[in-house]
Amino acid sequence: MKRIYLDYAATTPTHPEVVEAMSPYFTEIFGNPSSIYSYGQEARGAIEQARASVASLIGAQEEEIVFTSGGTEADNFALKGVAFASENKGNHIIISPIEHHAVTESAKFLERRGFSITRLPVDEYGLVDPDEVRKAITAKTILVSVMQANNEMGTIEPIAEIARITKEAGIPFHTDAVQTVGHIPVDVNELGVDLLAMSAHKFYGPKGVGALYIRKGTRLVPFLHGGSQEGRRRASTENVPGIVGFGKAAELAQAEMNQEAERLSRLRDELINGLLERIDHIRLNGHPTIRLPNNVNISFDYIEGESILLNLDLEGICASTGSACTSASLEPSEVLLAMGLSHEQAHGSLRLSLGRWIADDEIKRVLEVLPGIVARLRAMSPLLKSNN
């Protein structure tokens, strides 16, 4: 049975050219980049070349890129680093209710330590209203954090408009761009953000490596303490092969992004329209047009997403009910609940995320298989019977 992978938002396969670029740094160029002899300096040169590639991808300066272990660490670094660096100014932080757990759990951690957290409302599409940000700002606000695009339902937020408001107020602005970098154009200067988190494995790079963009002049305390790596901002011997792979993935994304986004948008719309035509009592979650090119999130009335997933897997199709970081949880998606969906609708959600190796015939296969699965599950559903 040919397997169809439709969970690219959770992780992506590492591009063969990325694997090839990384390979020498496991066995041949293996030196510690902090060492002054040639092995170490070759590794150091590779890191700086990768830093330049990542910086170029988002329009940043090289010295504004700090490599991390991934997007989660980058988000933690941004929130906790700014919070503890700004305690003498205030203790108020603003976030949205649709953030990745790397942000929401960091906010809860800070809340337990005396910081005040405001969670903004979102509309039915998951959009944050910039005016709500303006209203939430107080004299004690030290940070605003709103993700650029949500990992579950794909809506792209008005980051540039929010950034103009935070800049007027003199408040640092952080965005989690893990789902956007490498997939749509991201320029930190056009967006106006001060901090931006990204992760290599979301766009065909290796797992275990990410970065935090830190605009010059943004104050934050180090998240890890130890050596003087990453300009004294992130201690620990650098993951040289991972960083090299990150750099190569950034180069490939910069070259191919626009063409790939156009292809995926076409397949996304074909999948959305096909499902809406073939299956009754469903709804598209997220904004119909202002969304990631690879994201489809659908709620199916009267059945649960987990049941759909298991049946799709039997057909060789891999998908998700939402964030991979919470897939083991039986609780409904907090993101979908924040958008106004009922618990039943949130439980009945399915995320299909597309990527580089998805083909037209695979989309057609999903459209052939999924309506039958939904029909069989509804035939057994007590929820459907109770509504008839």
Side-chain angles (χ1 to χ4, degrees):
M1 179 192 298
K2 179 183 177 183
R3 297 190 68 82
I4 299 174
Y5 184 70
L6 282 170
D7 202 16
Y8 281 85
T11 194
T12 60
T14 308
H15 195 291
E17 291 185 39
V18 171
V19 175
E20 183 181 1
M22 293 170 64
S23 181
Y25 295 90
F26 287 107
T27 56
E28 299 169 31
I29 312 171
F30 58 84
N32 187 316
S34 296
S35 301
I36 62 172
Y37 46 75
S38 58
Y39 273 135
Q41 291 309 296
E42 288 175 349
R44 169 57 55 196
I47 288 175
E48 296 313 317
Q49 181 178 339
R51 196 186 311 278
S53 297
V54 172
S56 177
L57 180 62
I58 64 168
Q61 298 180 41
E62 294 172 27
E63 58 270 28
E64 295 175 319
I65 301 297
V66 174
F67 288 115
T68 67
S69 63
T72 291
E73 184 190 328
D75 283 334
N76 273 258
F77 188 9
L79 266 72
K80 297 172 186 175
V82 170
F84 292 125
S86 307
E87 286 181 286
N88 61 330
K89 294 183 178 180
N91 68 341
H92 180 230
I93 296 170
I94 300 169
I95 67 171
S96 85
I98 61 166
E99 298 299 308
H100 188 274
H101 280 204
V103 169
T104 60
E105 291 302 312
S106 293
K108 289 176 185 177
F109 168 85
L110 292 168
E111 204 165 25
R112 291 192 296 270
R113 279 150 183 80
F115 289 86
S116 172
I117 309 297
T118 293
R119 294 165 178 86
L120 301 165
V122 292
D123 68 11
E124 61 183 306
Y125 301 121
L127 280 168
V128 172
D129 184 345
D131 284 338
E132 293 293 337
V133 178
R134 191 188 304 276
K135 293 175 187 176
I137 291 173
T138 73
K140 293 186 176 181
T141 304
I142 55 174
L143 179 67
V144 175
S145 181
V146 176
M147 69 193 321
Q148 189 177 14
N150 182 263
N151 49 299
E152 292 188 40
M153 48 78 186
T155 296
I156 300 172
E157 301 293 337
I159 297 301
E161 292 92 326
I162 296 171
R164 283 193 285 271
I165 292 168
T166 60
K167 186 175 182 180
E168 289 172 5
I171 299 167
F173 181 33
H174 165 254
T175 191
D176 178 334
V178 165
Q179 291 292 329
T180 55
V181 169
H183 296 286
I184 62 174
V186 174
D187 186 298
V188 292
N189 295 305
E190 291 181 4
L191 292 175
V193 296
D194 303 294
L195 300 145
L196 180 145
M198 51 193 135
S199 181
H201 79 101
K202 300 297 187 179
F203 60 101
Y204 315 103
K207 297 176 181 64
V209 60
L212 179 65
Y213 158 76
I214 307 171
R215 184 179 294 277
K216 282 185 177 179
T218 303
R219 292 182 63 250
L220 70 172
V221 297
F223 182 61
L224 294 177
H225 301 93
S228 59
Q229 293 90 353
E230 294 300 292
R232 299 186 178 276
R233 292 177 292 186
R234 199 267 185 186
S236 183
T237 299
E238 294 93 341
N239 172 9
V240 180
I243 290 171
V244 168
F246 191 1
K248 185 63 178 179
E251 293 171 12
L252 292 169
Q254 197 160 14
E256 303 169 2
M257 182 193 316
N258 291 337
Q259 181 179 352
E260 182 66 1
E262 183 178 346
R263 184 184 77 90
L264 292 180
S265 295
R266 176 180 59 80
L267 293 176
R268 175 202 66 194
D269 292 344
E270 181 181 331
L271 184 55
I272 290 172
N273 293 332
L275 292 175
L276 293 174
E277 289 169 3
R278 289 168 171 80
I279 306 173
D280 293 331
H281 304 296
I282 66 174
R283 61 164 282 165
L284 175 68
N285 296 319
H287 199 282
T289 57
I290 310 173
R291 68 186 303 128
L292 291 169
N294 69 334
N295 179 285
V296 176
N297 190 305
I298 300 283
S299 282
F300 299 81
D301 291 344
Y302 313 124
I303 51 178
E304 292 191 346
E306 288 80 4
S307 299
I308 303 173
L309 280 186
L310 292 172
N311 281 269
L312 283 173
D313 193 43
L314 292 173
E315 297 285 347
I317 299 168
C318 303
S320 169
T321 54
S323 172
C325 302
T326 58
S327 60
S329 172
L330 296 178
E331 294 299 315
S333 163
E334 294 179 0
V335 169
L336 298 181
L337 293 178
M339 293 162 52
L341 272 69
S342 68
H343 279 65
E344 290 77 16
Q345 289 173 318
H347 270 304
S349 67
L350 179 71
R351 183 184 70 182
L352 303 164
S353 49
L354 288 57
R356 184 184 297 269
W357 287 283
I358 194 73
D360 290 53
D361 65 317
E362 293 176 319
I363 297 298
K364 290 181 173 61
R365 169 70 177 156
V366 174
L367 291 173
E368 291 170 359
V369 168
L370 190 49
I373 290 174
V374 172
R376 288 197 303 272
L377 292 173
R378 282 180 174 166
M380 299 181 289
S381 171
L383 294 173
L384 179 58
K385 292 174 183 176
S386 67
N387 280 273
N388 286 340

